[in-house]
Amino acid sequence: MWYPREQLSCRLRGWLMLSRPEGPSAPHQHQPHVYVKVFTNSPFLVCMDLGLSQEEIIDPTYLWIGPDGKNLQGQTYVNLTATGKLMVKRFKESMSGAYTCTLSHKIIETDAQDETEVSEAYKFMVYAYREPDYTYKISVRFTTKECKLVANNKFFEELKRILDNILSDLACHVIEPSYKCHSVKIPKQSLLHELFITFQVNPFAPGWEEVCNHLPYDCEDETNKRVQEARDRIEEFFNKQTYALKHDFQALPTIHYVDHSFEVTRIDSCRPGFGKNDITHNDCASCCVVCDPGTYSPNNEVTCRTCVRTQIKQYGAKSC
């Protein structure tokens, strides 16, 4: 499967290796950001730079230290190979942080029969991320006889009922529905009265948790799939209004759909403890990345807030 370049770091597969800094004695200061989707395995992090991988290494040993400062050797939640590759299994937000490896090996000078042990340190910043939750804001317009028509409100209530019925099997629902009536002057036509209707299609109708309880992976994949299906059904419904007006009515009804008035905008939100940051995490700008220590997100906003009252030390804080 192909992904846009700007999203590639969000979905790393295989293994990740550092590039060696330029210069014969340049320190390994480059700290790549690695983004791992929650509940999936991380890519293999390689305790070696690209240049060293092309060389002969004598008696290598590897020491991996996790974000909590503990040796990762023997931990059940990691896969640590004999060649220094590290995979973190079933990644959670609390596993985010700095993963550091020290590679020790020998350099043997045959002529002098001399052995020297040297060490190289590598650091990876690994972050949990989620896909945003999608909500769709939709706007449509209907022509009406006049703005004070009693039937306008009855029509609006009936439209809401129809839309919810269309979505009933998807655990999605219509939220924040509203309408306003405006007078519209169209070139070369008389003054018209139109209902400007807006609403949002949301994937968290009562019962959505039951769908997620049976999933082996993160739930936003399922909720996003369902809300996209809901959006498509609603667009199809309004397209059918255009067809019906052209083929099923000899005289236009008092309130009828305005052709091509369907507009849709996707609104992203993040789960508590996650937020978007296209500056700090520009390699994963479209992702909801776990909040860094010192920040938190208590709700479904798309940004992590800075906590000024107390010092937050963990990743993914939901309160200050």
Side-chain angles (χ1 to χ4, degrees):
M1 182 176 293
W2 179 86
Y3 293 105
R5 178 180 295 178
E6 65 272 14
Q7 296 184 2
L8 187 59
S9 294
C10 303
R11 301 159 174 90
L12 280 166
R13 294 293 182 265
W15 48 271
L16 184 70
M17 181 182 293
L18 285 166
S19 297
R20 174 173 289 184
E22 294 182 0
S25 60
H28 295 283
Q29 294 179 340
H30 179 55
Q31 299 175 12
H33 286 192
V34 184
Y35 300 92
V36 184
K37 190 169 184 178
V38 291
F39 308 133
T40 68
N41 298 337
S42 77
F44 273 108
L45 307 180
V46 183
C47 188
M48 186 178 299
D49 62 52
L50 194 57
L52 199 59
S53 69
Q54 309 300 316
E55 301 175 6
E56 180 181 71
I57 303 176
I58 300 174
D59 293 338
T61 60
Y62 309 93
L63 174 63
W64 277 99
I65 303 297
D68 57 2
K70 295 181 180 179
N71 189 339
L72 294 177
Q73 183 70 44
Q75 299 293 340
T76 58
Y77 58 89
V78 301
N79 179 2
L80 189 56
T81 72
T83 55
K85 296 179 183 178
L86 172 73
M87 173 194 287
V88 186
K89 297 182 286 187
R90 296 284 294 170
F91 204 84
K92 302 175 183 177
E93 51 262 48
S94 60
M95 296 176 174
S96 300
Y99 287 76
T100 304
C101 180
T102 301
L103 164 62
S104 299
H105 62 98
K106 293 178 182 178
I107 297 177
I108 300 178
E109 297 181 13
T110 307
D111 295 341
Q113 295 185 341
D114 189 25
E115 295 184 5
T116 304
E117 184 162 326
V118 296
S119 296
E120 307 273 358
Y122 304 95
K123 186 176 183 180
F124 301 85
M125 295 302 299
V126 187
Y127 299 92
Y129 85 93
R130 294 177 182 266
E131 298 291 350
D133 289 310
Y134 302 157
T135 295
Y136 289 97
K137 183 177 182 180
I138 295 175
S139 62
V140 291
R141 290 158 67 173
F142 281 78
T143 295
T144 184
K145 185 176 181 180
E146 58 181 80
C147 284
K148 294 182 180 181
L149 194 68
V150 175
N152 290 343
N153 193 59
K154 293 182 179 180
F155 165 79
F156 179 65
E157 294 299 323
E158 179 65 13
L159 178 63
K160 289 192 295 181
R161 186 190 65 79
I162 293 172
L163 294 176
D164 273 329
N165 284 342
I166 292 174
L167 312 180
S168 60
D169 63 314
L170 297 174
C172 296
H173 61 160
V174 171
I175 63 172
E176 300 182 16
S178 65
Y179 81 93
K180 291 183 179 180
C181 188
H182 297 281
S183 299
V184 180
K185 179 64 178 73
I186 299 176
K188 299 181 181 180
Q189 293 189 34
S190 60
L191 194 66
L192 299 176
H193 302 288
E194 292 187 359
L195 305 177
F196 287 63
I197 299 173
T198 62
F199 56 91
Q200 293 184 19
V201 182
N202 180 280
F204 303 114
W208 73 272
E209 297 96 337
E210 292 299 319
V211 178
C212 291
N213 287 340
H214 304 290
L215 297 177
Y217 50 86
D218 202 22
C219 187
E220 79 263 8
D221 290 342
E222 180 65 22
T223 55
N224 286 344
K225 182 178 72 174
R226 289 189 286 105
V227 78
Q228 286 173 318
E229 169 66 18
R231 173 232 182 271
D232 292 342
R233 288 187 189 183
I234 289 177
E235 183 175 16
E236 182 183 8
F237 168 76
F238 286 110
N239 287 338
K240 288 181 178 179
Q241 305 310 303
T242 298
Y243 180 89
L245 289 171
K246 292 180 178 178
H247 298 87
D248 299 342
F249 292 92
Q250 294 183 351
L252 290 176
T254 301
I255 301 176
H256 63 270
Y257 176 66
V258 177
D259 192 14
H260 301 302
S261 67
F262 181 88
E263 295 183 1
V264 60
T265 303
R266 198 184 85 188
I267 302 172
D268 290 354
S269 61
C270 296
R271 300 288 173 93
F274 290 79
K276 288 186 178 184
N277 190 325
D278 57 3
I279 297 176
T280 303
H281 302 294
N282 61 340
D283 285 339
C284 207
S286 65
C287 310
C288 292
V289 181
V290 65
C291 293
D292 287 307
T295 66
Y296 70 105
S297 178
N299 50 33
N300 296 103
E301 295 178 356
V302 294
T303 57
C304 296
R305 307 177 186 179
T306 300
C307 182
V308 295
R309 296 197 303 271
T310 58
Q311 185 178 3
I312 300 176
K313 297 182 180 181
Q314 77 271 23
Y315 286 85
K318 300 175 184 177
S319 60
C320 180

